[in-house]
């Protein structure tokens, strides 16, 4: 056959990976091609004893699918021989030859086609892979593709640097554990749960881990200390900063009242905003006051949390929040949950009302042209309060706690001038947020510059903070001091493990969340 300027034999075209194959005949028809093939080797080795044999017992034809050519399916008819094994000590009397690069035992597809099917199954899974195979004229359904997936054998020894993290089979209900070689970035094994007993058993059976990168899950900590006590534990830096950000966000959430008062004080040409105690009564505010009174009364009476939750029809976490949080903080949260699509448009109807335009319909049409998307009833109620003299002006704009914590956690040079100025005003408004900001930025500097030797000093400063969330975070760091210090000193992290967790999520979506553990494990461990 002529391929460009190079003349290739049929064997080189159809079976480039095979050796010792002879193409006898090629038949092409409308529905595909049939290739008659035979072996060109005069002898074969016995699969049991490995001794070569030339004595032929019999011959028969074996048919299998091969890779398509020119969008046409290809069928291979291979004449194979059955040889005698003349070794007296061998149990096998006869054996069938296998042609390297063409056949595999008990398979009805050539080796080249099976490599295609494995690649398609590993990347796409069952149904998507079957749809692609139909377009490529490859004879394969979803079950044939999935049967190609077999998890490779797990090495006897664990990698030197092992990454451990959890992933969800079903979020909130069932979790598994993925183990990754942090140096080669290859998954090593997948465990069916995230318990310490399962991981400890795996570490005992696969010794050799010198460094273990993990998140701050206590179950993994117990397993590593029990089964690999000499291994160095490394706490993940991303989870460390994430937990710090949540603690700072909680501080900002608890001090929204002073931020709001400062913003209202700075607001020019606006009537004074009433305090939280003078808020106009709303359904949400009344409900928060009533729930706070009921829950704290039942707590003082001696009812347990579960019984209070059952009687009031609430979640236990909600009951704990009402028990442990001041009423002012709850009222501030209730105020932020109000449906206030009109707040940022209130200055315009106020100015128009003062100028003498008191028609709600005209005001509604005018603010709709300015981007208001609420209903007419929302504006008409506000116009009615302006007529009665009980209108509440728009609250001063205050960034959300998550926005403030994001500004604090980012380096100052990456903030825009407006964000930096806003953060400076927030620091002036609340000394507690200022102290939390200084602590957060000092710890992020330790993380980014790998100054783990200064962690103990930072923990001592954080334990003196008046904010419970910061003290709780510092206490947790002290409990896991060695692993956190290693995370702030060594270059290892769980970043590569998090990447594989994202890959697991993609694989689950491609299999519609219905894959069994065995199939999902095979797809995770099969190299792409």
């Amino acid at each position: 056959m002529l391929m460009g300027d190079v003349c290739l034999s049929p064997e080189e075209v159809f079976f480039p990976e095979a050796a010792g194959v002879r193409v006898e005949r090629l038949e092409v028809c409308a529905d595909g091609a049939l290739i008659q093939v035979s072996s060109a080797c005069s002898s074969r080795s016995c699969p049991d004893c490995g001794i070569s044999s030339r004595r032929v017992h019999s011959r028969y034809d074996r048919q299998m699918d091969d890779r398509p050519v020119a969008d046409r399916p290809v069928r291979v008819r291979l004449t194979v021989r059955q040889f005698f094994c003349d070794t007296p000590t061998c149990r096998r009397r006869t054996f069938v030859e296998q042609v390297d690069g063409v056949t595999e035992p008990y398979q009805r597809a050539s080796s080249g086609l099976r490599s295609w099917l494995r690649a398609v199954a590993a990347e796409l899974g069952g149904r998507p892979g079957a749809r692609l195979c139909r377009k490529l004229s490859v004879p394969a359904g979803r079950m044939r593709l999935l049967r190609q997936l077999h998890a490779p054998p797990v090495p006897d020894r664990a990698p030197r640097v092992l990454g451990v993290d959890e992933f969800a089979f079903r979020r909130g209900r069932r979790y598994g554990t993925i183990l990754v070689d942090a140096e080669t970035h290859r998954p090593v094994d997948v465990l069916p749960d995230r318990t310490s007993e399962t991981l400890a058993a795996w570490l005992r059976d696969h010794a050799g881990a010198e460094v273990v990168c993990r998140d701050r899950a206590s179950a993994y900590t117990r397993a590593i200390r029990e089964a690999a006590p000499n291994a160095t534990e490394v706490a993940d830096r991303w989870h460390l900063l994430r937990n710090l950000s949540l603690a700072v966000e909680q501080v900002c959430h608890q001090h929204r009242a002073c931020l709001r008062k400062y913003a209202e004080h700075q607001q020019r040409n606006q009537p004074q905003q009433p305090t939280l105690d003078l808020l106009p009564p709303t359904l949400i505010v009344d409900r928060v006051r009533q729930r706070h009174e009921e829950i704290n009364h039942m707590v003082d009476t001696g009812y347990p949390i579960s019984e209070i939750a059952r009687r009031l029809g609430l979640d236990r976490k909600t009951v704990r929040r009402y028990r442990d949080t001041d009423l002012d903080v709850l009222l501030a949260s209730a105020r932020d949950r109000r449906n206030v699509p009109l707040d940022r448009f209130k200055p315009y109807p106020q100015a128009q009302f003062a100028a003498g335009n008191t028609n709600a319909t005209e005001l509604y049409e005018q603010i709709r042209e300015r981007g208001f998307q609420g209903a007419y009833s929302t504006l008409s109620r506000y116009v009615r309060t302006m007529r009665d003299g009980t209108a509440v002006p728009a609250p001063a704009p205050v960034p959300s706690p998550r926005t403030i914590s994001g500004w604090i956690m980012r380096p100052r040079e990456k903030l825009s001038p407006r964000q930096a100025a806003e953060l400076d005003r927030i620091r002036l408004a609340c000394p507690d947020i200022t102290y939390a900001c200084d602590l957060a930025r000092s710890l992020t500097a330790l993380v980014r510059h790998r100054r783990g030797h200064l962690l103990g000093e930072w923990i001592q400063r954080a334990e003196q903070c008046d904010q419970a969330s910061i003290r709780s975070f510092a206490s947790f760091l002290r409990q896991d001091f060695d692993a956190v210090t290693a995370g702030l000193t060594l270059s290892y992290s769980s970043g590569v493990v998090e990447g594989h967790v994202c890959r697991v999520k993609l694989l689950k979506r491609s299999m519609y969340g219905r894959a069994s553990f065995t199939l999902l494990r095979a797809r995770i461990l099969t190299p792409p």
Side-chain angles (χ1 to χ4, degrees), residues 136-155:
L136 297 178
S137 301
V138 174
R142 64 183 183 90
M143 297 309 299
R144 186 178 191 180
L145 287 172
L146 296 179
R147 282 195 296 268
Q148 309 302 317
L149 294 176
H150 300 284
V154 179

Side-chain angles (χ1 to χ4, degrees), residues 54 67 76 85 88 177 229 284 434-435 443 458 466 525:
R54 291 176 174 269
R67 292 163 291 190
V76 175
C85 182
T177 300
I284 295 179
T434 301
Y435 191 69
L443 183 59
W458 186 93
D466 295 334
L525 298 181

Side-chain angles (χ1 to χ4, degrees), residues 70 139 145 174-175 178 192 222 225 248 262 288 368 501 521:
L145 287 172
R174 182 166 168 253
Y175 289 83
I178 183 171
R222 291 193 300 269
R225 292 175 181 174
V248 173
Y262 181 82
V288 169
R368 275 184 62 86
V501 171
R521 178 176 179 270

Side-chain angles (χ1 to χ4, degrees), residues 14-124:
F14 293 105
F15 308 103
E17 304 92 352
V21 177
R22 180 171 54 246
V23 176
E24 304 285 352
R25 188 174 68 257
L26 175 61
E27 299 178 3
V28 180
C29 56
D31 57 351
L34 176 64
I35 306 176
Q36 181 71 42
V37 183
S38 62
S39 175
C41 298
S42 59
S43 62
R44 292 292 179 182
S45 298
C46 174
D48 285 355
C49 64
I51 304 300
S52 178
S53 175
R54 291 176 174 269
R55 198 157 62 100
V56 177
H57 175 276
S58 58
R59 291 178 174 84
Y60 66 93
D61 288 340
R62 178 180 176 182
Q63 295 195 22
M64 66 194 74
D65 297 318
D66 197 14
R67 292 163 291 190
V69 175
D71 293 333
R72 293 185 178 183
V74 174
R75 190 81 172 165
V76 175
R77 182 181 295 163
L78 174 65
T79 301
V80 296
R81 295 166 294 179
Q82 191 171 10
F83 287 86
F84 286 103
C85 182
D86 296 327
T87 305
T89 57
C90 183
R91 298 180 306 168
R92 190 184 294 267
R93 299 272 69 92
T94 61
F95 63 92
V96 176
E97 65 175 338
Q98 301 293 335
V99 181
D100 296 336
V102 179
T103 65
E104 296 179 16
Y106 309 108
Q107 299 298 327
R108 301 184 66 180
S110 66
S111 301
L113 179 59
R114 280 175 53 80
S115 65
W116 279 25
L117 298 181
R118 279 193 294 268
V120 171
E123 293 294 337
L124 299 179

Side-chain angles (χ1 to χ4, degrees), residues 91 149 152 165 168 179 183 228 287 302 308 310 320 341 377 384 396 400 414 431 454 465 519:
R91 298 180 306 168
L149 294 176
D165 203 355
L179 308 177
E183 292 182 314
R287 185 178 62 192
I308 298 175
R310 187 187 66 81
R320 292 192 186 96
S377 59
R384 194 178 307 119
S400 66
K414 292 188 177 181
L454 300 177
C465 181
L519 179 57

Side-chain angles (χ1 to χ4, degrees), residues 158-173:
R160 190 181 70 88
V161 182
L162 179 66
V164 182
D165 203 355
E166 64 183 21
F167 67 93
F169 291 109
R170 189 175 181 184
R171 188 174 181 180
R173 298 195 178 185

Side-chain angles (χ1 to χ4, degrees), residues 267-271:
Q267 195 175 31
R268 303 292 181 86
N269 301 324
Q270 292 288 342

